Amino acid sequence: MTRIACLPQDLPDIPGTDTRFDIYANSRINGRGRVGDLVPRRLRKLGLAPSGQAWDFASFAMAVVAADETVSRDRSPDGWTRQIELTVAVAAPDFWNTQATRLTQALRFLSGDIWEIRFIGGGGAPAPRTGARPRPEDMVCLLSGGMDSLIGAIDVVGEGLNPLLVSQMAKGDSQDQKLFALNIAPSSRHLQLNHHARPPHASERSQRARSIAFLGFGVLAVSCLQRHADGAVVELRVPENGFISQNVPLTPLRTGSLSTRTTHPFFLRLIQETLDDAGLRVRIHNPYEHQTKGEMLRGCADPTLLEQLVDRSTSCGRYSRTGFQHCGRCVPCQVRRGAYLAWGRPDTTQGGYKYGPLGQNDVRHARFDDVRSVAIAIETVRRRGLDALIGGSMNRELLGNPAPYRQVVQNGIAELAALHANLRIP
């Protein structure tokens, strides 16, 4: 069990802690990590003052990212599953400890690890709340720089809503996030934040829980709206196609936690229940949980604007490792390429794909087992049906009625099958 603590800089160390992070502080204390240090400054600059409970949830999210980045999977018995005990300082520890069991369940589902969560006092809002200016926007929409969030933001405006757009800054995406926001909702606030997690040693590369910070930023933003201050329940839109959200293992050896589960309906439901208990008046909503990426492209409210911007969106799971160019062969890239094909529009992704052909059999491509995994999944469904692929990963306990989720996986596999057939995969 690795013990991580995420505390304000002035709180004393907790005995027995393996790694301590200072939260919301640019500390340089030897042996400590830091996380969220740029968030308060950015919010103060914009005159935004989130609620106390929103800060507590964001602190939890920051702490999860910090732990996810600092605990190595290589040192776990099976090379993957970690045991993490996480202590988080918040303003209302008694309440948040009532949520620990549910949040532990959510994190175990999210990252595939064994988590234990506890909350202590001494945390809370790091920024003064004087001079706050509540925002006039109707709701909050996450804008990552990816294709799905681009479509989601365009559709929000198409519905006549005025969104506050929230981005988690990432190298290679930040300028495109600004471009998208300026073209989609020029009169709305665009809030770009970064968890900026810095462990005191090398980072764990898998980072399966990193996107929970994005939800934390969204909750902070919701609590800054005038509608929220007036007592309304405010929508936090999380646009993601249902095929990726389901994260069905493509082969028996490829477990679900090998990809992010941050938008899986079961995970979002657990987070929603926690936000409800906290009285945060946030309604998480993904309107695309039953749609493929190709269906999202075809159904976009403003096809003209989409065509102007979509080629600049980012989907690649290896984007930084391939020199900020789509690799073309990871699962997200294959889903993207299949979506373009289903849309019927030429794929002119900016910069193209580093590895365009999917069927090359040489040393350079041998590491890309994602192509093989997708091919196996396509063949499994073709020969043995969808149940042979999904197994027990889709059930009523997780999803309620699984029928529409089964259908989106069926349709998603069909888009990938069309891509492989089009590119003549052997």
Side-chain angles (χ1 to χ4, degrees):
M1 180 72 73
T2 305
R3 293 173 173 84
I4 310 296
C6 197
L7 316 170
Q9 182 177 345
D10 57 352
L11 282 191
D13 289 334
I14 298 173
T17 297
D18 295 300
T19 304
R20 184 235 174 95
F21 281 81
D22 290 339
I23 188 169
Y24 305 133
N26 187 22
S27 69
R28 304 283 177 163
I29 300 174
N30 189 42
R32 294 186 185 181
R34 64 185 189 275
V35 64
D37 56 308
L38 303 179
V39 174
R41 185 192 319 164
R42 178 64 175 162
L43 293 175
R44 282 196 296 266
K45 182 178 180 180
L46 297 176
L48 301 176
S51 71
Q53 286 289 60
W55 273 119
D56 276 358
F57 179 76
S59 296
F60 162 70
M62 296 295 103
V64 170
V65 173
D68 189 38
E69 289 215 9
T70 201
V71 182
S72 172
R73 293 192 185 275
D74 291 339
R75 293 196 293 269
S76 62
D78 63 356
W80 182 262
T81 307
R82 304 166 296 180
Q83 298 183 59
I84 302 172
E85 181 184 291
L86 178 61
T87 300
V88 188
V90 292
D94 290 344
F95 165 75
W96 287 102
N97 277 315
T98 68
Q99 305 298 305
T101 298
R102 181 190 290 135
L103 291 173
T104 296
Q105 182 184 17
L107 293 183
R108 290 185 177 188
F109 182 81
L110 177 64
S111 73
D113 300 304
I114 299 170
W115 293 79
E116 293 183 15
I117 310 294
R118 73 182 182 109
F119 297 92
I120 63 171
R129 302 192 63 192
T130 57
R133 300 188 295 275
R135 295 293 308 175
E137 287 85 0
D138 303 318
M139 48 86 75
V140 170
C141 182
L142 302 187
L143 181 69
S144 67
M147 182 184 287
D148 291 3
S149 70
L150 170 64
I151 296 168
I154 291 173
D155 286 351
V156 163
V157 174
E159 293 169 24
L161 296 173
N162 177 25
L164 191 158
L165 300 172
V166 174
S167 299
Q168 179 166 239
M169 299 172 69
K171 191 173 182 180
D173 283 341
S174 297
Q175 290 304 314
D176 286 333
Q177 292 168 353
K178 292 179 181 179
L179 175 71
F180 294 167
L182 184 62
N183 281 272
I184 295 168
S187 62
S188 299
R189 170 68 69 196
H190 178 211
L191 177 62
Q192 289 182 294
L193 298 172
N194 194 313
H195 58 71
H196 205 237
R198 293 294 183 270
H201 47 71
S203 292
E204 161 59 40
R205 293 295 300 274
S206 61
Q207 299 175 12
R208 293 300 175 236
R210 65 190 182 278
S211 295
I212 194 172
F214 211 171
L215 291 177
F217 297 151
V219 170
L220 287 174
V222 165
S223 73
C224 294
L225 300 187
Q226 184 64 57
R227 289 190 69 238
H228 190 268
D230 292 340
V233 175
V234 176
E235 179 184 356
L236 171 57
R237 189 164 298 192
V238 184
E240 183 79 83
N241 76 83
F243 180 70
I244 288 292
S245 292
Q246 282 302 310
N247 189 25
V248 172
L250 298 175
T251 72
L253 296 179
R254 187 185 177 97
T255 60
S257 62
L258 286 175
S259 302
T260 182
R261 285 173 159 174
T262 317
T263 58
H264 191 284
F266 178 66
F267 175 76
L268 290 181
R269 187 174 82 224
L270 293 175
I271 297 300
Q272 181 68 70
E273 290 170 356
T274 298
L275 299 179
D276 290 346
D277 284 355
L280 276 163
R281 302 195 311 282
V282 176
R283 182 175 70 90
I284 301 172
H285 181 212
N286 176 16
Y288 309 104
E289 61 180 353
H290 301 151
Q291 294 183 34
T292 65
K293 192 182 287 282
E295 289 167 343
M296 288 182 67
L297 285 169
R298 293 198 301 269
C300 183
D302 190 339
T304 301
L305 182 58
L306 177 63
E307 288 191 11
Q308 292 172 4
L309 300 175
V310 69
D311 292 336
R312 298 181 65 100
S313 66
T314 304
S315 302
C316 185
R318 298 185 174 95
Y319 196 57
S320 62
R321 283 176 279 172
T322 50
F324 302 103
Q325 179 183 13
H326 284 79
C327 76
R329 296 174 61 89
C330 67
V331 171
C333 273
Q334 290 181 72
V335 171
R336 177 189 181 93
R337 298 174 75 174
Y340 267 105
L341 192 63
W343 189 20
R345 179 187 179 278
D347 184 349
T348 51
T349 292
Q350 182 170 273
Y353 297 101
K354 185 169 185 177
Y355 307 112
L358 296 185
Q360 287 184 235
N361 183 20
D362 56 35
V363 174
R364 186 174 61 172
H365 295 83
R367 292 172 296 171
F368 288 84
D369 69 327
D370 287 10
V371 175
R372 186 181 304 109
S373 295
V374 168
I376 290 171
I378 292 167
E379 190 65 7
T380 297
V381 173
R382 187 184 73 82
R383 290 190 176 190
R384 299 167 52 202
L386 186 64
D387 286 339
L389 178 69
I390 64 176
S393 64
M394 302 176 70
N395 55 61
R396 290 187 179 277
E397 181 181 355
L398 293 179
L399 299 169
N401 178 13
Y405 301 102
R406 288 170 54 86
Q407 188 61 55
V408 76
V409 173
Q410 183 87 54
N411 294 346
I413 291 294
E415 289 184 6
L416 289 170
L419 172 70
H420 278 220
N422 185 66
L423 295 178
R424 296 180 177 86
I425 303 303

